[in-house]
């Protein structure tokens, strides 16, 4: 298949389908300026992967990556009708904080880095949570709930929860 010329379209009609493994590897964010968005995430304290390039910046998230790509390039590659963002798109990213005190501190760092505070750290029925947007309007929640279980590298143990005490 790789010997075919770029742009060759392969049929998915008369082949046996297979299910993908239950995991993701890359999160693509279409951004107006890759350099500006890179600066924002670096100001958050994240370290850029040396394996990206100026038009495709990667941040290692521990087995998967957040990748920044130009919005126009991303839209063209996905055959989207428009690259223009609009309203609430129903997608958000969640950072689970280690302590309740981290929530407002991380939100402050996001604003300091050039993000927009959407919702300040607020007591919820489950813990403490707040939201910020990155410079391109991508929504991030910073959340602390005592039910979440993590391994030694602070990776979420999805199929285990702690008992709530609050």
């Amino acid at each position: 298949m790789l010997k075919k010329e770029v742009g060759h379209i392969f049929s998915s009609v008369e082949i046996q389908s297979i299910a993908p493994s239950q995991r993701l590897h890359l999160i693509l964010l279409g951004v107006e300026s890759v350099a500006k968005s890179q600066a924002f995430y670096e100001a958050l304290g994240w370290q850029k992967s040396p394996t990206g390039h100026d038009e495709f910046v990667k941040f290692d998230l521990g087995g998967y990556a957040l990748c920044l790509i130009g919005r126009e390039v991303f839209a063209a590659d996905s055959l989207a009708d428009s690259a223009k963002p609009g309203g609430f798109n129903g997608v958000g990213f969640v950072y689970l904080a280690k302590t309740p005190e981290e929530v407002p501190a991380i939100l402050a760092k996001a604003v300091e880095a050039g993000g927009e505070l959407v919702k300040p750290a607020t007591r919820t029925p489950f813990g403490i949570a707040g939201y910020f947007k990155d410079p391109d309007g991508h929504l991030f929640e910073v959340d602390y709930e005592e039910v979440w279980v993590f391994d030694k590298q602070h990776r979420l143990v999805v199929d285990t929860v702690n008992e709530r005490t609050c």
Side-chain angles (χ1 to χ4, degrees):
M1 292 179 91
L2 293 175
K3 294 189 186 275
K4 297 288 186 184
E5 64 185 57
V6 172
H8 179 86
I9 297 173
F10 298 92
S11 173
S12 296
V13 176
E14 295 179 9
I15 62 170
Q16 184 172 347
S17 66
I18 60 171
S21 299
Q22 189 169 316
R23 65 175 172 252
L24 295 176
H25 300 96
L26 305 175
I27 299 167
L28 297 177
L29 291 184
V31 299
E32 288 301 318
S33 166
V34 173
K36 181 179 175 184
S37 289
Q38 174 186 329
F40 170 77
Y41 288 100
E42 288 178 327
L44 276 179
W46 291 14
Q47 186 172 16
K48 167 179 90 98
S49 169
T51 63
H53 53 79
D54 289 346
E55 299 302 316
F56 190 77
V57 172
K58 299 187 295 183
F59 294 92
D60 183 350
L61 301 178
Y64 59 100
L66 177 71
C67 304
L68 309 175
I69 185 172
R71 187 185 305 275
E72 294 287 338
V73 172
F74 189 14
D77 188 49
S78 67
L79 304 178
D81 291 337
S82 171
K84 301 293 178 220
F88 179 71
N89 65 8
V91 175
F93 304 97
V94 181
Y95 177 84
L96 296 174
K98 295 175 185 175
T99 67
E101 294 78 17
E102 278 190 349
V103 176
I106 291 169
L107 292 170
K109 183 66 171 179
V111 171
E112 183 181 288
E116 173 190 345
L117 182 64
V118 174
K119 178 182 176 184
T122 304
R123 180 67 167 95
T124 70
F126 310 105
I128 308 292
Y131 288 87
F132 71 88
K133 287 184 181 179
D134 75 359
D136 287 279
H138 299 290
L139 188 62
F140 285 77
E141 179 181 19
V142 181
D143 177 54
Y144 173 81
E145 296 179 25
E146 60 189 2
V147 297
W148 299 120
V149 175
F150 301 95
D151 66 13
K152 291 179 182 177
Q153 291 78 37
H154 196 68
R155 290 181 297 215
L156 183 64
V157 179
V158 176
D159 293 333
T160 305
V161 294
N162 291 319
E163 188 175 324
R164 272 184 37 185
T165 61
C166 66

